[in-house]
Amino acid sequence: MRVGVLTGGGDCPGLNAVIRAVVRKGVQGYGYDFVGFRDGWRGPLEGDTVTLDIQAVRGILPRGGTILGSSRTNPLKSQDGIRRVKENLAKEEVDALIAIGGEDTLGVAARLSGEYGIRCVGVPKTIDNDLSATDYTFGFDTAVNIATEAIDRLHTTAESHMRVLVVEVMGRHAGWIALHSGLAGGANVILIPEQRFDVDQICAWVESRFKIRYAPIVVVAEGAMPKGGDAVLKDGSLDSFGHVRLSGIGEWLAKEIERRTGKEARTTVLGHVQRGGTPSAFDRWLATRFGLHAIDAVRDEDYGKMVALRGTDIVRVPLAEATARLKTVDLSLYAEAEVFFG
Ligand code: F6P
């Protein structure tokens, strides 16, 4: 049995832990061979491979990023993409492919497996935690920890200068990072894409904080939108899956707060810091278990599935189901946080 492995989409901490677990159990437990494909779906599309054996995965458990590289290449958008992927997999004598990615990478795996007979198993990654069918994706916990530490630090400097500090976090169209880090960091306002915000209300919360001599920290998800406004785009470009690039709402909001309240307001955009560096212990644990279960799915020839966390169990769910819709924050969960606002 020869197994291909690829990592696609935005990188996140824990990718290497999955690769290591897949290879270790595959080689030591089942005697399989592996081949790594470089840069997500670009690897199978262009036949770009890398050696993947026990030696290649030594020491990579705590390393952020991915030894295989990543990209947002969509083979379904390339001319002859499917034929080329199939040919390159056949050339490499790949029997099964493990795709580690988010909704885009796994959406491709779902189609290649459902419509074109390519034997795929998916592993859910993303700092955004927006994949359906799994309680958590790996990478999310690390991002939340990084954002929480930043919020802790911003509290002390905000209070020294009695300023408003707006912290913009990632998450695309889901508010998971904002909600979890905002709660963990004791933010005074948390804004998520799932609920449009009212700038006057935010200003009222900001003013009430200053009255009790506390400097407000406002956590805003990059995809959050004011009532009557649109998401702020970094530029007009779209990636090959048609996604816009977000970022800028933090800067916009700080200016509005300053203009309306007269209080000094500054912005910190955490950006890719949330995606870099070593994975948290939780993400190493989750990524490792996902990897072990993904290679078991290959052994069982249970293709077209994604491994998923349900409670403390790892289960297998159809790739098509897991990628059918985004998992966004339930408004009842968001409402729980409101008692801390203002
Ligand atoms: O999906 C992960 C993510 O980090 C999002 O939170 C963010 O909107 C996007 O990727 C940024 O993408 P890029 O790597 O293209 O800057």
Side-chain angles (χ1 to χ4, degrees), residues 20 23-24 27-28 51-60 63 67:
R20 168 181 173 268
V23 173
R24 289 285 294 274
V27 173
Q28 293 171 207
T51 304
L52 195 55
D53 54 15
I54 296 277
Q55 192 52 36
V57 300
R58 288 258 182 254
I60 65 172
R63 263 175 62 190
I67 58 165

Side-chain angles (χ1 to χ4, degrees), residues 10 72 126-128 170-172 222 245-246 272 275:
R72 296 192 194 277
T126 166
I127 63 164
D128 302 339
M170 281 185 165
R172 220 194 281 271
E222 61 181 1
R245 295 177 71 207
L246 296 165
H272 295 88
R275 290 209 328 228

Side-chain angles (χ1 to χ4, degrees), residues 42-117:
R42 192 189 69 73
L45 189 66
E46 296 178 8
D48 194 355
T49 61
V50 57
T51 304
L52 195 55
D53 54 15
I54 296 277
Q55 192 52 36
V57 300
R58 288 258 182 254
I60 65 172
L61 173 64
R63 263 175 62 190
T66 161
I67 58 165
L68 297 177
S70 193
S71 76
R72 296 192 194 277
T73 306
N74 182 354
L76 303 172
K77 283 274 163 68
S78 302
Q79 216 188 355
D80 266 0
I82 291 152
R83 183 189 56 77
R84 286 161 64 197
V85 167
K86 278 186 144 178
E87 270 178 20
N88 286 323
L89 291 178
K91 200 169 112 210
E92 287 298 327
E93 299 181 342
V94 167
D95 301 298
L97 187 63
I98 295 182
I100 310 166
E103 50 148 344
D104 297 329
T105 304
L106 298 186
V108 171
R111 287 201 52 200
L112 292 182
S113 139
E115 296 169 35
Y116 302 100

Side-chain angles (χ1 to χ4, degrees), residues 8 22 56 128 218:
V22 161
D128 302 339
V218 177

Side-chain angles (χ1 to χ4, degrees), residues 166-169 178 189-191 197 218-222 224 249-250 253:
V166 177
V167 190
E168 183 187 293
V169 298
V189 184
I190 302 170
L191 305 172
F197 61 83
V218 177
V219 174
V220 59
E222 61 181 1
I249 188 68
L253 185 58

